[in-house]
Amino acid sequence: MGKRKSPVKPPLPDDIVTKVRLRLMDDGRPQYVIAADIGVPASRMSDYALGRRTIPQKHVFRFCTVLNCNPEDLLGYAEPRDLEPYLATDSNGSS
């Protein structure tokens, strides 16, 4: 018998922001690079960022090491207003 896969949840509404998504945006590196550094597929990283999956407890330490943060910085949801600084910049990076 094969390994049971956990179900993928539907995407979150646009007004709900995961803390993982904020950490990835703070890091500045492409998401696929961070995923490779952690050792997960880029599609799985996307699922974590969009809230479709939660980071398994056994992988939290790797995430924290690569993203230089604490578990509290990754787990759960942030306020939608926390995303505003990232949306307020124009293509030149200024507000």
Side-chain angles (χ1 to χ4, degrees), residues 35-51:
D37 289 347
I38 291 171
V40 298
S43 61
R44 180 73 45 88
M45 181 64 76
S46 179
D47 287 342
Y48 296 143
L50 296 173

Side-chain angles (χ1 to χ4, degrees), residues 20 24 29 31-41 45 48 55 59-67 74:
V20 173
L24 293 172
R29 292 180 288 165
Q31 196 168 299
Y32 70 90
V33 171
I34 297 169
D37 289 347
I38 291 171
V40 298
M45 181 64 76
Y48 296 143
I55 300 170
H59 296 304
V60 171
F61 181 74
R62 266 193 285 171
F63 274 74
C64 291
T65 301
V66 170
L67 294 172
L74 292 174

Side-chain angles (χ1 to χ4, degrees), residues 2-3 7-8 15 20-21 24 31 34 46-47 49 52-53 57-58 64 70-71 76-77 79 82 84 87 92-93 95:
K3 195 174 175 181
V8 177
D15 60 343
V20 173
R21 183 175 173 194
L24 293 172
Q31 196 168 299
I34 297 169
S46 179
D47 287 342
R52 292 183 189 140
R53 293 181 184 262
Q57 188 173 3
K58 65 183 181 179
C64 291
N70 298 314
Y77 301 98
E79 295 293 325
D82 293 338
E84 288 175 8
L87 301 176
N92 294 326
S95 299

